[in-house]
Amino acid sequence: MKRAHETHQGHADVRPGHAFDPLDALRVPGDPACDVYLTGTVFLDIIFTGLDSAPVRGTESWARGMGSSPGGVANMATALARLGLRTSLAAAFGDDMYGDYCREALEKGEGIDLAPSHTVPGWHSPVTVSMAYEGERTMISHGHEAPPKESAASHAGFGPGGVPLGGSGGDAAGDRATSDCPPRARACVTSLVPGEGQEWIATAARRGSRIFADVGWDDTGRWDLSALPDLAHCEAFLPNAQEAMRYTGTDCPRTAARALAERVPLAVVTLGSQGSYAVDSATGETADIPAIPVEALDTTGAGDVFVAGFVVASLAGWPLADRLAFAGLTAALSVQEFGGSLSAPGWPEIAAWWRQARPRTQESTGSGGSYAFLDAVLTGCGPPGPLRRAVPTIGFGRSRPSR
């Protein structure tokens, strides 16, 4: 597998920390410059861990650990970039210190293309405080919707064409598809919004992008699949078990996956500590992969990392079971670090895990078990390189470890 700094066009790939290119064997001249395009809200995440219980009203709780990192759609973008995909993100950034930090971490730290993004003068960055305890998390967020890029441009002198800030479901083209927004890409990742169609998704699908989507909690309580019009453009739909069962009116996540496969080519339902289950409606194939048991430090962003791993494996053309196994592995590695975005593993971290796990799986199964495919994938992968991790405060140097 070719090293990441080499490309089929001969240009240098300066993305830091990326060991090699998982799509190297598939790249040909004329391919899109962008592997994955996504859009959404970037938050500053402040994460507290080591809480013995949920905060109690009228009391003060002390956390034994704390970290800060870019969050929101940054979780997905960073996970994709750390797995070697050329990732383009459209988002709004405040011109405050939080916005500067998030932009620098994503663009310079992770090599994510932020050309479709914009900075909004006088607008403060959204913030989420996440409290992790007993394997769960509670989050409190604050923010205001940013104006679309045109409004910011008229105030700050930027060019037209951009993205409003409205969550992962925001319309990246501002309901005005142009020749470069969304850009030509192998794939797009989005979060479907009940009752809202997103014109850019249909545009991307017409241009040949493969659409991968998850969905958030339906605050309306309707849980109506017909309220997700963009599902018709999706190659794969990846809800969690509760979302899948509510949308299908079933009481079993596997039954829900089979029902969803009647509406979308590939239905993937994440089952938390039980793993994941998928149904391919085109072939009738199913895959049921157990989760890797780990002691979770912080589950923030684990679902985003799972989707990123699944997208990478899908674009690489792996079998369905291997795609699920790889996605579950990346999520399992991520929950052992602080934060959503900066907890995402890179290929060297995956290789280090496999070097330790392979002897155990061979001893118990007589082979590599569900992860034997990694032997071929990881050929030539070097030792772990430095990855940015969440820090207690963004006022310190960016490379300090969390405490």
Side-chain angles (χ1 to χ4, degrees):
M1 187 173 286
K2 186 182 294 180
R3 291 284 175 178
H5 65 271
E6 303 170 337
T7 72
H8 69 272
Q9 297 172 316
H11 298 304
D13 187 340
V14 297
R15 292 170 298 157
H18 305 296
F20 53 67
D21 183 353
L23 305 185
D24 171 52
L26 303 176
R27 297 193 188 280
V28 296
D31 276 349
C34 174
D35 290 327
V36 181
Y37 170 81
L38 66 165
T39 179
T41 307
V42 173
F43 290 77
L44 174 73
D45 278 359
I46 301 172
I47 306 100
F48 293 101
T49 65
L51 292 165
D52 295 321
S53 63
V56 178
R57 180 179 177 181
T59 67
E60 180 180 14
S61 299
W62 282 82
R64 290 187 290 274
M66 176 185 170
S68 301
S69 66
V73 72
N75 297 339
M76 182 83 69
T78 301
L80 290 163
R82 287 187 172 186
L83 292 174
L85 296 192
R86 300 164 187 173
T87 303
S88 183
L89 170 64
F93 291 87
D95 63 349
D96 52 9
M97 184 175 67
Y98 292 171
D100 291 345
Y101 162 72
C102 289
R103 179 181 279 277
E104 178 185 344
L106 298 175
E107 190 168 38
K108 296 182 180 179
E110 305 299 336
I112 295 167
D113 172 28
L114 296 183
S117 296
H118 67 290
T119 298
V120 182
W123 176 73
H124 76 76
S125 299
V127 176
T128 291
V129 174
S130 176
M131 294 166 284
Y133 54 89
E134 298 176 353
E136 298 292 341
R137 69 187 188 277
T138 296
M139 295 185 290
I140 302 173
S141 298
H142 175 72
H144 301 282
E145 186 165 332
K149 194 172 184 178
E150 292 76 12
S151 299
S154 64
H155 181 68
F158 291 96
V163 52
L165 177 72
S168 298
D171 188 345
D175 291 323
R176 302 162 315 283
T178 66
S179 60
D180 60 353
C181 189
R184 184 167 167 255
R186 292 176 184 264
C188 297
V189 183
T190 188
S191 184
L192 304 182
V193 181
E196 295 184 19
Q198 303 170 69
E199 185 178 331
W200 77 269
I201 296 176
T203 300
R206 286 196 301 270
R207 293 174 177 173
S209 295
R210 301 166 65 178
I211 310 298
F212 297 80
D214 61 12
V215 68
W217 192 259
D218 186 355
D219 291 330
T220 70
R222 293 176 57 197
W223 297 101
D224 182 2
L225 283 173
S226 65
L228 302 176
D230 292 319
L231 193 62
H233 304 298
C234 295
E235 172 181 318
F237 183 45
L238 301 95
N240 64 33
Q242 288 298 318
E243 294 159 350
M245 289 188 290
R246 286 178 179 267
Y247 270 114
T248 58
T250 61
D251 57 4
C252 170
R254 291 169 177 81
T255 301
R258 291 190 289 270
L260 289 172
E262 298 176 2
R263 304 288 295 268
V264 69
L266 182 59
V268 179
V269 176
T270 56
L271 309 174
S273 61
Q274 297 180 20
S276 58
Y277 181 78
V279 179
D280 187 325
S281 61
T283 64
E285 181 184 5
T286 64
D288 196 341
I289 302 297
I292 299 172
V294 295
E295 184 174 346
L297 172 66
D298 176 22
T299 60
T300 303
D304 294 324
V305 176
F306 179 97
V307 174
F310 189 83
V311 170
V312 171
S314 296
L315 295 184
W318 299 354
L320 182 57
D322 293 349
R323 284 184 269 168
L324 284 190
F326 182 73
L329 169 59
T330 57
L333 294 177
S334 76
V335 301
Q336 298 177 73
E337 299 285 348
F338 278 100
S341 62
L342 302 187
S343 69
W347 286 103
E349 288 68 40
I350 294 167
W353 174 86
W354 182 231
R355 282 193 293 269
Q356 293 181 348
R358 193 177 193 279
R360 297 194 298 271
T361 56
Q362 283 184 315
E363 182 177 334
S364 60
T365 66
S367 66
S370 299
Y371 302 91
F373 67 92
L374 289 174
D375 283 333
V377 173
L378 295 170
T379 300
C381 186
L387 286 178
R388 288 189 175 198
R389 297 299 187 191
V391 294
T393 170
I394 62 175
F396 287 160
R398 302 289 190 258
S399 62
R400 286 197 184 190
S402 56
R403 291 287 188 265

